[in-house]
Structures are given as structure tokens and as C-alpha cells.
């Protein structure tokens, strides 16, 4: 009943997390979508006027004051001096059709244009598009444009009387900072960050929590399942032995040494052979890996939660050999070495508590084998007896350790 209550409580918690995470994700993504939609709507139409592409031939004669336009330029703008106070710098800008306009550009737009400049040729690598609003030219702006006209046309014949022959009666006030967008680069960066956060929350909610909830509802706990653990440990349990306890822990460092007599190495197996030699096998792993840890009255049993790679050293040794020499009935897979350890062969066993509540157990066997195991404090919903089994495991190891006898 207690286990069922824990599972029911965990289900409610996971459902709540899914709702919270997905809610946050949709809120973030929805906010960005709304803002972008609003900006695009503003860009597409301001005061009922559609955005006109000045670079398109069909746009000639259609603009009026207050109209929002876009312009595609093919050359670096030329500044007009002096700078008008509280207005900024005016430029001559040449579009892709070689028509010259007067534009009041922001520093950010100029930076974007300069970023596309080829340092070698001094030309733009590609056409640059910006947007702005049509504004009526004033007399002071006209005078600045006339005084700088030699930069645009190479002559000083332009005056107020013939001004309209060279320029339009309007200028473009830059209202856009970026290439073809009304959204500033800093705002775009913020929007991208918000969307990525939203996507991350969705991945966590539907990529991790929901599958976990489905598995929990089915009674599936993956490797953190006592039934799965019990079956895995039973495979390595010697005949006549009964498991007293088992937990899902971690292998932190292992170096297993065993000697086998009258055998030969054939691929990944040791084969019994009357004419074979004595082989010393060293099986090591120095990285953390998941492992089931079980104990019976006479043995410590280890079974990997998944298939892991180990480092093997296999040497032929002369007889006689110090320590026990094991005989092989028919054959033994290398991966099955280091799964069953007699408690009577433990020379020393040390325990160290971790700040997370876990216990680290370092075991030295009489034959030189070394095991460093992590015994976690919590076992998960699929292992309701974890705390009890861990205490049994620790007590048995303390009792059988030579250093504690």
C-alpha cells in the first residue's frame, strides 16, 4: 500500500510538472510570436498605408508623406555635412537601380551596412535593404544636400531652382535597424533566447517527463526496478545461495583479478582445455557505471545495469601460482568475470559517507581485486525496499570484512 501511495503521489507530481513546464513554454513562445506578429503588422501597414518598395519601378510616383517604404541599396551611403542638431546625419543613398535618394540613417543601420562591406574592393558584398518613412524635405536639408551634391553627382550646378531635377521632394527617415526587419538586433537576440528557453521546457516536458509518466503508469521503471534487478542478480548467484538484499548502485572503480587453470582464450571466451595453460585475467574500469549490487550469505554479486566496456589484460602464468586457481567447466565469457565475490575472500572493506547521503564502499580482496562502489541514498519508485536492502548490504559487508572481525 505504501508503494502504491508513493507511485500515485509521483504521478500527480509528474502531471503537475508537465502542465507547469508546457505552460511556461507556450507562454514564452506565444509572447515572442505575438510580438513578432505585432511588429510585422506595424511594418506592413502604418496608418492604413502599405509598405512600398521604392526599388521597384512600379513604385514611382506612389509615395506620399508618412508612407512606409523599403529601399534596397547597392553602394555605401555618402554622408552629408554638416550634421543637423537633434536630427542626425543625412546620406546620399544609391539604390539597385542607380537612383539617388536622401536618407536620414541611424548609426545601427549604418553599422549593418558597413558589416556587408568588402574591405578589399570597398563595395558591398550584397544588396542591403532597410525600411523607413517618407518625410518632406525642408529648406535646411535641401541646402545641405546642394552643398554636398558634388559627392553624389560630381558637379556644383545643383541649386534650389533645379533641385527637383536631381532629387525627390522627400527624404527617407530610417525607422528600421536591421536588414529587412523592424526588430532591432538586441530584441531579436532576446526573442531567440526566449524561444529556445520555451523549446527547452517543451523538450523536458514531452521528451522526459511524459515518457516517464507513461512508463510509471504501466508499472515500468527501467533499470530502477526491483524485479529487473532481482532477475539480473539471480543469473550470477551460485547454486544453493539465496539473495538477502539488492540495490541499484554505481561502480566507481573496479580492478578484478582472477586466475583460471587449464584453459585457452578463444575470442571473448575462456574455453576449458586439459592441455591449456593457466591464465591470469585482469578486468578494469575507472569510469562510473550503473550496477546492481546484491548479497547472499556467502557472496557479493554484481550485475551491470547496461553493457559497458572494460579494459582486459590476459597473461599466461607458470605454475605454481600464488592464490586460488579457478577451474572452468566448459567455457566462461570474459564479461561474466567479476560478477561473484566470496565474502570470505574480502581482506578489507571501508565505508565513506557522501554529502548527498550516498555511501562509498571500497573493497579489497585477498587476491588483489579492488572494488569501489557507490550506494545511493534513494532508489526510485521502482525500488521501494532500497533503504532496507542498503542497510542489510552495508551490515553484511561490515561483518564479513577481515578488518572488522
Amino acid at each position: 500500500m505504501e508503494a502504491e501511495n508513493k507511485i500515485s503521489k509521483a504521478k500527480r507530481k509528474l502531471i503537475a510538472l508537465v502542465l507547469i513546464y508546457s505552460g511556461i513554454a507556450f507562454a514564452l513562445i506565444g509572447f515572442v510570436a505575438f510580438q513578432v506578429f505585432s511588429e510585422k503588422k506595424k511594418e506592413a501597414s502604418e496608418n492604413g498605408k502599405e509598405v512600398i518598395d521604392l526599388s521597384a519601378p512600379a513604385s514611382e510616383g506612389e509615395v506620399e508623406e508618412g508612407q512606409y517604404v523599403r529601399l534596397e541599396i547597392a553602394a555605401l551611403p555618402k554622408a552629408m555635412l554638416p550634421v543637423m542638431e537633434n536630427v542626425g546625419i543625412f546620406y546620399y543613398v544609391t539604390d539597385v537601380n542607380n537612383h539617388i535618394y536622401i536618407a536620414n540613417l541611424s548609426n545601427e543601420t549604418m553599422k549593418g551596412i558597413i558589416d556587408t562591406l568588402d574591405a578589399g574592393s570597398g563595395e558591398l558584398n550584397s544588396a542591403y535593404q532597410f525600411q523607413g518613412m517618407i518625410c518632406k524635405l525642408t529648406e535646411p536639408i535641401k541646402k545641405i544636400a546642394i552643398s554636398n551634391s558634388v559627392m553624389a553627382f560630381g558637379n556644383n550646378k545643383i541649386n534650389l531652382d533645379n533641385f527637383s531635377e536631381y532629387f525627390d521632394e522627400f527624404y527617407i527617415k530610417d525607422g528600421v535597424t536591421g536588414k529587412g526587419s523592424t526588430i532591432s538586433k538586441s530584441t531579436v537576440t532576446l526573442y531567440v533566447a526566449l524561444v529556445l528557453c520555451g523549446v527547452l521546457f517543451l523538450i523536458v516536458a514531452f521528451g522526459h517527463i511524459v515518457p516517464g509518466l507513461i512508463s510509471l503508469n504501466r508499472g515500468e521503471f527501467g533499470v530502477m526496478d526491483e524485479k529487473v534487478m532481482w532477475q539480473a542478480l539471480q543469473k550470477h548467484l551460485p547454486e544453493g545461495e539465496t539473495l538477502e538484499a539488492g540495490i541499484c548502485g554505481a561502480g566507481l572503480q573496479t580492478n578484478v583479478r582472477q586466475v583460471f587453470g587449464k584453459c585457452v582464450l578463444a575470442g571473448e571466451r575462456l574455453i576449458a582445455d586439459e592441455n591449456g595453460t593457466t591464465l591470469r585475467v585482469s578486468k578494469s574500469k575507472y569510469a562510473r557505471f550503473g550496477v546492481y549490487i546484491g548479497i547472499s550469505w556467502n557472496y557479493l554479486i554484481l550485475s551491470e545495469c547496461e553493457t559497458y566496456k572494460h579494459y582486459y589484460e590476459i597473461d599466461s602464468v607458470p605454475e605454481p601460482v600464488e592464490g586460488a586457481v579457478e577451474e572452468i567447466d566448459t567455457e566462461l565469457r570474459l564479461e561474466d568475470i567479476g560478477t561473484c565475490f566470496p565474502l570470505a575472500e574480502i581482506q578489507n572493506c571501508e565505508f565513506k559517507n557522501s554529502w548527498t547521503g550516498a555511501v562509498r564502499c571500497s573493497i579489497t580482496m585477498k587476491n588483489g581485486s579492488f572494488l569501489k562502489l557507490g550506494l545511493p541514498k534513494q532508489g526510485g519508485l521502482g525500488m521501494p525496499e532500497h533503504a532496507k536492502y542498503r542497510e542489510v548490504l552495508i551490515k553484511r559487508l561490515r561483518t564479513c570484512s577481515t578488518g572488522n572481525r
Side-chain angles (χ1 to χ4, degrees), residues 8 11 121 165-166 179 185 208 221 245 268 343:
S8 178
K11 287 181 181 179
S121 65
E165 297 177 14
Y166 295 89
K179 199 169 184 179
K185 291 182 179 179
H208 296 276
F221 305 97
E268 300 295 318
L343 298 181

Side-chain angles (χ1 to χ4, degrees), residues 172-185:
I172 305 169
K173 182 175 178 57
D174 171 32
V176 179
T177 54
K179 199 169 184 179
S181 173
T182 57
I183 305 174
S184 68
K185 291 182 179 179

